[in-house]
Amino acid sequence: MKKIVILTGAGISAESGLGTFRDEGGLWAQHRIEDVATPEGFARNPDLVHHFYNARRVQAQQARPNAAHEALARLQSASDGEVILVTQNVDDLHERAGSQNVIHMHGALSGALCASCDARWRAPLKMNRDSICPKCAAHSARPDIVWFGEMPYQMDEIYHHLREADLFAAIGTSGNVYPAAGFVQDATQFGAGTIELNLEPSATVSAFAQTSFGKATDTVPAWVESLL
Ligand code: APR
């Protein structure tokens, strides 16, 4: 296998104790997307949005990578070919498991972004409406998270990798949010094999050539072993 492109979602971090978005009792059952995950929500009530991401930042820092994150790091270091990791997750559990060059297409909790001048810096554990941009000094610091209505990061790079992929795998994602949910169709068109590893069939399951259902800590290490 020369090139494998892997897309991960909230399901891979679920067994590390981080809640998913759309499972029963998930984040979007407890918070309104419009309030905490849109630029308009941030403009209306920055403190509410900071409070939401501050809590998630602390939670993510306390979480530990699980056997699925570790298996993917092992695949990256032991594979003969190239293994590209694209994640929708804003936690850093892939990096802490030892993965390299992770593409965070929806941003990262570790990042801060100035809504005025686009400067980026490392986010402190807690931010609020008085947090100041170190470059332009505006009171417009926000989490460097891609919100609904915003363009995901590194899309050109991701499509470049999908075009070259021999195998595309989606792990722990419900297939509800585009453009990531469309990667399986793109990869198929570009000639790659496809596999879904998820707790249950996703919204896009019919687009995958192969499936493996179960907990990520079971299915991902087994899949990695089959590849190495
Ligand atoms: N192992 C494997 N899969 C799991 C596990 C587990 N232990 N627990 C849950 N899952 C699966 C669920 O069955 C579900 O299909 O993970 C998926 C999580 O789906 P979502 O909560 O919708 O998360 P995700 O697909 O990553 O969301 C995409 O939506 O709002 C946003 O920007 C946010 O990046 C996020 C995007």
Side-chain angles (χ1 to χ4, degrees), residues 208-227:
F208 287 87
Q210 271 181 281
T211 53
S212 171
F213 299 119
K215 289 180 176 177
T217 55
D218 293 329
T219 59
V220 179
W223 174 66
V224 165
E225 286 316 307
S226 77
L227 289 172

Side-chain angles (χ1 to χ4, degrees), residues 9-11 14-15 20-23 28 88 106 148 172-174 177 198-200 214-216:
E15 291 165 81
T20 63
F21 296 97
R22 295 174 184 79
D23 290 305
W28 296 153
Q88 299 168 90
H106 290 171
F148 285 89
T173 178
S174 64
V177 176
N198 208 34
L199 194 57
E200 51 196 33
K215 289 180 176 177

Side-chain angles (χ1 to χ4, degrees), residues 118-131:
D118 284 345
R120 287 192 160 80
W121 65 100
R122 196 169 173 80
L125 205 51
K126 297 218 161 156
M127 293 168 74
N128 59 46
R129 68 161 72 223
D130 296 323
S131 299

Side-chain angles (χ1 to χ4, degrees), residues 12 15 65-73 94 97 171 216-218 220-221 224:
I12 198 166
E15 291 165 81
N66 64 47
H69 299 104
E70 283 159 9
L72 295 185
H94 283 305
I171 303 174
T217 55
D218 293 329
V220 179
V224 165

Side-chain angles (χ1 to χ4, degrees), residues 188-206:
T188 303
Q189 251 177 4
F190 296 139
T194 57
I195 179 166
E196 168 166 290
L197 298 99
N198 208 34
L199 194 57
E200 51 196 33
S202 74
T204 52
V205 66
S206 59

Side-chain angles (χ1 to χ4, degrees), residues 101-105 151-159:
N101 304 321
V102 182
I103 299 177
H104 280 271
M105 64 179 291
M151 184 60 81
Y153 297 149
Q154 293 176 265
M155 290 308 297
D156 288 350
E157 198 182 333
I158 294 170
Y159 284 120

